[in-house]
Amino acid sequence: MKSVITALTLALAVFLGIRSSVATAEEITGAGSTFVYPLLAKWSDDYSKQTSTKINYQSIGSGGGIAQIKAGTVTFGASDMPISPADLHEAGLLQFPAVVGAVVPAVNLPGVAAGALHLTGPALADIYLGRIKKWNDPELVTLNPGLVLPALAITVVHRSDGSGTTFNWVDYLSKVSPEWKARIGEGTSVSWPAGVGGKGNEGVAAYIQRIKGAIGYLEYAYILQNKMAFVLVQNAAGQYPEPGKASFQAAAATAEWSKTSDFYLVLTNAPGDNAYPITATTFILIHRAALATPSGKAALDFFRWGFTQGGPDAEALAYIPLPPSLTAAIEAYWQANSP
Amino acid sequence: MSGLLVARSEIAARPAVGPFGDRLFRALLIGAALSVLALLGGAAIAIFWGGLPAFRHFGLGFFTRLAWDPVRQDFGALVPIYGTLVTAAIAMITAVPVSFGIALFLTEVAPHWLRAPIGAAIELLAGIPSIIYGMWGLFVFAPFMADHVEPGLTALLGPLPLLGVLFDGPPLGIGMLTAGLILGIMVVPFISAVMRDVFRLVPQALRESALGLGATRWELVWRVVLPYTRSAVLGGVFLGLGRALGETMAVTFVLGNAHDFNLSLFMPSTSIAAAIANEFTEADSDLYRASLVALGFVLFVITFIVLALGKLMLARLAQSEGSRR
């Protein structure tokens, strides 16, 4: 009996020992956006090699990330959809952008190469509303005088699952089309008036490649990987910038972050001649009170490291690091809000 | 005599251990049986409870409305219910005759050396994960349907009155017809395995007497084998139907996941299982989540009704067979 007690005590001691050793090597937990998951995984891998900090990030979706950080089960949440300052204050949360990406439309049209098709925002909205049904519609023909557009039916492809990619896409359509804003609105999933739904970016990419006459929207990385025939979209300044590092960064730089509170801004339809119109941001959410705790401080250290040294990782994965002016503003925001 | 006495005393001694052991065993068996009932009841109640806010908010309209709008928090279950039933129906229409043919071939027609390999191949089909069927469906089967099958069907059946509307539409390759056919392929192994096993159980004497009376092979099957195995065959069909109703992954790939109501079988739709799998992770409002759980409850009820109907038909058949004898 005595030996059993000794063994149990020993086991408990070992267990507690393991627990405390985990607690000293700081572990940060996060949950949310699937859009940012590849980057956070790469960052945390590199970061844990340089420091003893481990980041455990679960890509459960933006909605889940918001729910988890509000419930206080994770150190930080990640969402592709920003939360309004009023809601942030009510929940005691802070919000800042982490990385910039883009949503790019792509088509499957015989004889139409990548970057050849030009579309305006309102034309995209009309296609997604199901009002423009054929590729040789006069509105599309006048936008593309140099192209021979076939008399093919348009098949709209959208996401079937709720997604931050969808949020940025429909946010853009709402900004450029009053009818879209009134009839459909915006959210991580909406009631689509037309088309088929693919699960995840890979599902949408597969549908576009399978269906002749299809148009769909994808994260930029999937356009690159699958060599899709992307579409050039007219931006707020009337230009047709190529999707890529320069135009995404231009959008992040020309966006008027300084006029917002808590970085409550969706990057779509950014002003600026070279700004890509459907640029997206992933936001990090963290409890204001957590900044006083070791795990909260470790989380900020991690993102500070990401902003200063994670740039090459981000670009390798087709994300765009935040411009220096923005990271400086985020640092000031942290200082102003630390307890 | 003394041997008999010993034996008797042993018999008498046995119950002394028996009652407790028996009772324990009985209690264990009852416990096992009841735990299944409790689990089933618990699951039904839990799903109903989870879906209750949606049922309360939308009332009976939840079952009759086409809308599915997460932005305006307006949810109706008609499109997923319709998609589930239509794809399962297409699956059964294709799978039952094919399974029947496979089972008959394996038990009545095929030479003996061929029966084992073909039987094994069909059983292997049942072991393929459904996501593989989904990917094969999307990358191989859907383009084939779009390029070769659907345009032909439109030309052939499109002009027909009433029926034509089912086959009239753009040949996307992704939609209810493709999903139904893939489901059909997926349930063939289940139905044909049951059919083959029960066809084998037909006594050899019955077969030989039928053949001896001059029955053709067709008459043997139609008049002897099928009547003898009818209830078990129906059981196999309902097993397949149950699987077709709840199949998720493969359907998600090829059904198109659109909450649109279309009569054309070429058009995309959604099923209950696919809608839940697609949307649950990002269902960020309580009513949205409750509506998805409510959909799950509807699927639960549909499956329950199908199985209950199956049992009822089996009971009727058994009854009519009993009266005939």
Side-chain angles (χ1 to χ4, degrees):
Chain A
M1 192 64 198
K2 212 172 181 183
S3 65
V4 171
I5 294 173
T6 332
L8 278 178
T9 326
L10 205 70
L12 195 67
V14 169
F15 178 68
L16 288 179
I18 290 167
R19 288 293 302 255
S20 63
S21 74
V22 167
T24 48
E26 201 59 58
E27 184 170 288
I28 313 170
T29 54
S33 159
T34 48
F35 179 81
V36 77
Y37 172 70
L39 178 66
L40 284 185
K42 181 83 177 106
W43 273 3
S44 61
D45 189 38
D46 288 359
Y47 190 62
S48 66
K49 279 177 196 151
Q50 295 179 19
T51 64
S52 61
T53 308
K54 282 204 161 46
I55 291 96
N56 177 9
Y57 182 74
Q58 306 284 328
S59 58
I60 56 173
S62 296
I66 294 171
Q68 293 296 321
I69 187 68
K70 279 188 176 164
T73 52
V74 290
T75 315
F76 70 90
S79 168
D80 301 323
M81 185 160 70
I83 300 184
S84 72
D87 286 351
L88 282 173
H89 286 294
E90 196 184 311
L93 291 172
L94 298 178
Q95 168 175 272
F96 58 89
V99 73
V100 169
V103 185
V104 181
V107 292
N108 177 353
L109 274 177
V112 174
L117 188 69
H118 289 52
L119 292 175
T120 61
L124 270 177
D126 280 349
I127 289 173
Y128 267 75
L129 281 168
R131 280 230 306 256
I132 299 182
K133 293 179 189 299
K134 291 264 183 196
W135 281 111
N136 62 351
D137 188 279
E139 191 177 342
L140 305 186
V141 171
T142 43
L143 285 172
N144 296 281
L147 273 182
V148 182
L149 289 169
L152 203 60
I154 299 178
T155 301
V156 166
V157 185
H158 53 75
R159 288 281 289 269
S160 62
D161 47 338
S163 145
T165 315
T166 295
F167 168 75
N168 282 291
W169 179 252
V170 296
D171 177 82
Y172 173 69
L173 295 184
S174 293
K175 280 178 180 164
V176 294
S177 160
E179 189 186 350
W180 183 279
K181 192 182 174 97
R183 259 182 65 193
I184 311 298
E186 51 188 271
T188 52
S189 51
V190 298
S191 175
W192 299 99
V196 297
K199 185 160 167 53
N201 277 292
E202 56 284 359
V204 172
Y207 277 4
I208 297 172
Q209 286 164 331
R210 289 295 133 219
I211 303 171
K212 276 197 187 68
I215 181 169
Y217 56 90
L218 293 162
E219 275 171 35
Y220 181 57
Y222 286 83
I223 299 274
L224 288 182
Q225 281 165 18
N226 298 307
K227 301 192 173 57
M228 313 280 291
F230 59 84
V231 176
L232 295 186
V233 184
Q234 192 183 44
N235 66 13
Q239 303 295 313
Y240 288 91
E242 285 257 343
K245 185 187 172 189
S247 60
F248 303 160
Q249 217 155 24
T254 55
E256 293 167 312
W257 294 102
S258 57
K259 289 187 182 165
T260 65
S261 61
D262 297 304
F263 302 98
Y264 182 57
L265 174 85
V266 182
L267 265 185
T268 55
N269 211 24
D273 280 351
N274 193 29
Y276 186 74
I278 321 162
T279 311
T281 325
T282 298
F283 295 88
I284 303 298
L285 300 164
I286 192 163
H287 277 284
R288 184 189 299 265
L291 296 195
T293 66
S295 61
K297 281 185 183 136
L300 290 197
D301 284 342
F302 168 65
F303 286 108
R304 190 177 286 124
W305 176 90
F307 292 154
T308 51
Q309 295 176 51
D313 280 351
E315 283 178 34
L317 293 166
Y319 300 90
I320 299 303
L322 301 183
S325 59
L326 186 53
T327 55
I330 293 169
E331 184 69 43
Y333 175 73
W334 290 345
Q335 298 307 327
N337 282 292
S338 46
Chain B
M1 187 68 194
S2 71
L4 198 71
L5 274 177
V6 169
R8 222 180 237 173
S9 70
E10 267 180 5
I11 291 166
R14 215 167 261 166
V17 212
F20 177 69
D22 268 2
R23 251 181 272 146
L24 184 72
F25 190 55
R26 197 180 145 83
L28 277 177
L29 291 187
I30 292 177
L34 285 184
S35 70
V36 173
L37 276 185
L39 274 177
L40 184 73
I45 292 170
I47 302 175
F48 179 73
W49 196 253
L52 197 58
F55 291 132
R56 269 215 193 110
H57 191 268
F58 299 111
L60 281 178
F62 184 69
F63 302 99
T64 56
R65 279 169 335 120
L66 296 171
W68 189 268
D69 189 340
V71 179
R72 288 179 185 77
Q73 301 283 306
D74 186 9
F75 303 103
L78 190 58
V79 174
I81 292 175
Y82 176 76
T84 306
L85 295 181
V86 168
T87 49
I90 296 171
M92 299 322 283
I93 289 169
T94 50
V96 170
V98 172
S99 310
F100 188 63
I102 290 173
L104 279 184
F105 178 75
L106 286 180
T107 51
E108 308 293 338
V109 181
H112 275 276
W113 58 268
L114 200 60
R115 293 184 183 187
I118 292 190
I122 289 161
E123 272 157 25
L124 277 180
L125 270 185
I128 297 177
S130 64
I131 191 152
I132 305 293
Y133 278 105
M135 294 175 81
W136 173 79
L138 179 59
F139 290 108
V140 182
F141 192 58
F144 175 76
M145 290 289 290
D147 295 341
H148 304 290
V149 180
E150 291 183 353
L153 281 177
T154 308
L156 196 69
L157 302 172
L160 293 179
L162 288 175
L163 206 63
V165 71
L166 295 179
F167 300 100
D168 199 17
L172 297 177
I174 288 155
M176 288 184 272
L177 184 63
T178 309
L181 292 180
I182 296 234
L183 275 181
I185 297 170
M186 291 179 73
V187 298
V188 156
F190 293 89
I191 303 180
S192 62
V194 174
M195 284 186 177
R196 187 190 57 172
D197 289 349
V198 297
F199 287 172
R200 271 198 200 140
L201 293 178
V202 176
Q204 205 55 34
L206 270 184
R207 268 180 228 273
E208 279 162 13
S209 0
L211 291 173
L213 286 171
T216 61
R217 207 157 242 170
W218 174 251
E219 283 166 335
L220 167 70
V221 166
W222 202 244
R223 300 261 171 90
V224 178
V225 173
L226 251 187
Y228 191 85
T229 56
R230 196 154 37 183
S231 53
V233 165
L234 262 183
V237 169
F238 278 96
L239 186 79
L241 180 55
R243 193 178 148 87
L245 283 170
E247 175 49 45
T248 312
M249 227 41 234
V251 173
T252 303
F253 270 74
V254 290
L255 187 50
N257 306 309
H259 284 275
D260 297 327
F261 181 82
N262 284 299
L263 283 177
S264 168
L265 298 179
F266 297 172
M267 292 300 280
S269 180
T270 191
S271 78
I272 294 176
I276 295 173
N278 271 313
E279 297 175 39
F280 206 81
T281 42
E282 286 277 342
D284 41 12
S285 77
D286 291 339
L287 191 59
Y288 194 179
R289 211 174 306 124
S291 300
L292 286 170
V293 177
L295 271 187
F297 183 72
V298 172
L299 182 60
F300 194 94
V301 171
I302 291 178
T303 320
F304 192 82
I305 291 174
V306 163
L307 291 178
L309 273 181
K311 288 273 171 211
L312 203 72
M313 286 165 82
L314 289 182
R316 278 237 180 111
L317 278 177
Q319 230 172 27
S320 65
E321 262 163 42
S323 66
R324 207 189 298 155
R325 274 169 207 155

